[in-house]
Amino acid sequence: MKLFQNLDKEALNELANIAKIKEYKKGDLLYSDREKIHTIYFVIEGVASLYKPNPDNTKKVVFLFGAGDVLNEVIIYENTTLLSCEFLAPTKLLEIDREDFVKVLEKSYLLAKGVIESLIYKNRVMSHQIKNTSNSITVDRQIALKLYKLARDFGIETDLGTEINFDLSITYLSEILGAKRETVSRQVKVLSELGLIKVVRKRFTIPNQNTLLDYFHGTYQN
């Protein structure tokens, strides 16, 4: 776990003694927005989506987390969730009771430092999301950047390029971007026709990540 990388043996042993492992299926809902929970979750493997439900039953996806990430350290300060969490692939979690975790936290400066850094990182990511979904960035470029980042974070290498290693529908991609599904569908088709991405049965493959990034920056030459 990223949060545990710099901890001493004593803190690691304490965490190991209070942690348990649980597996979830694709599509399982871990917790809902504004739900009171008493467990801190860490991803061992799989993909977790944190999102804000909209009144029209759509979602605004805020984070996608994978192996090594902590999902809800914010409950250390208040045990009410700010987002809902569901799984986009079979997922294995490390789970620690909130009160037990806090006891270890109070004795470990490095763990407390790691939690603060994690919260700062997530705040920075949200700030970048607001910037990158502004009206000044066209939807095709937003898609290019998001797929580049997903390939970087969740990609596996294949003969065709870097495949994003979970099913990603056009609908879900539109909820990640906060854009209309019809618009995202059209722009995905444009990127596919340019050869920048390949889409087969909800699986996105990026033949060349750097070329896709060039498209986002406006320096791509066909």
Side-chain angles (χ1 to χ4, degrees):
M1 298 300 151
K2 298 172 186 175
L3 200 58
F4 304 160
Q5 285 179 347
N6 298 318
L7 300 186
D8 57 38
K9 189 173 295 186
E10 181 180 354
L12 289 173
N13 287 337
E14 287 191 63
L15 291 169
N17 289 333
I18 59 176
K20 62 181 180 179
I21 294 174
K22 190 172 180 179
E23 296 184 5
Y24 296 87
K25 300 188 295 292
K26 175 185 174 181
D28 281 352
L29 181 69
L30 182 62
Y31 53 78
S32 299
D33 176 46
R34 306 307 300 171
E35 180 180 342
K36 289 190 178 297
I37 58 175
H38 304 279
T39 304
I40 298 176
Y41 301 100
F42 302 82
V43 181
I44 297 174
E45 60 184 48
V47 185
S49 171
L50 272 65
Y51 64 91
K52 194 77 172 177
N54 293 323
D56 60 358
N57 292 323
T58 61
K59 304 165 184 171
K60 173 50 186 158
V61 178
V62 182
F63 298 109
L64 293 178
F65 289 129
D69 291 325
V70 55
L71 299 181
N72 63 328
E73 70 275 35
V74 69
I75 72 159
I76 292 170
Y77 305 100
E78 182 180 355
N79 67 337
T80 302
T81 61
L82 301 178
L83 301 166
S84 297
C85 178
E86 65 180 357
F87 301 113
L88 303 187
T91 299
K92 184 184 294 184
L93 298 183
L94 183 78
E95 305 183 353
I96 301 178
D97 178 82
R98 172 179 177 264
E99 291 186 4
D100 291 338
F101 185 82
V102 168
K103 289 176 183 177
V104 181
L105 185 75
E106 289 172 344
K107 295 184 289 184
S108 173
Y109 165 76
L110 289 175
L111 182 57
K113 180 173 179 286
V115 167
I116 293 170
E117 289 174 346
S118 179
L119 290 169
I120 291 172
Y121 167 76
K122 289 178 179 177
N123 185 64
R124 187 179 298 123
V125 168
M126 291 183 69
S127 297
H128 283 307
Q129 284 185 347
I130 293 170
K131 176 183 176 181
N132 292 332
T133 55
S134 68
N135 293 332
S136 63
I137 301 178
T138 56
V139 173
D140 58 327
R141 291 173 59 213
Q142 291 180 39
I143 294 170
L145 181 61
K146 179 54 66 175
L147 293 179
Y148 166 81
K149 289 181 176 179
L150 291 177
R152 179 195 64 194
D153 296 340
F154 299 99
I156 55 173
E157 294 306 317
T158 71
D159 292 340
L160 298 176
T162 306
E163 179 182 303
I164 297 171
N165 194 26
F166 60 89
D167 290 350
L168 180 61
S169 67
I170 296 297
T171 298
Y172 216 91
L173 181 57
S174 69
E175 290 175 338
I176 291 173
L177 296 169
K180 292 183 178 180
R181 185 192 184 283
E182 295 78 9
T183 304
V184 172
S185 181
R186 285 196 302 270
Q187 297 306 321
V188 164
K189 184 178 180 181
V190 169
L191 294 176
S192 297
E193 291 173 346
L194 289 172
L196 296 174
I197 63 175
K198 298 180 184 297
V199 189
V200 179
R201 293 190 295 274
K202 299 183 181 180
R203 288 284 176 144
F204 283 76
T205 299
I206 316 303
N208 187 310
Q209 294 183 60
N210 290 330
T211 303
L212 192 61
L213 191 60
D214 287 342
Y215 185 91
F216 167 73
H217 288 305
T219 57
Y220 168 73
Q221 294 182 346
N222 191 359

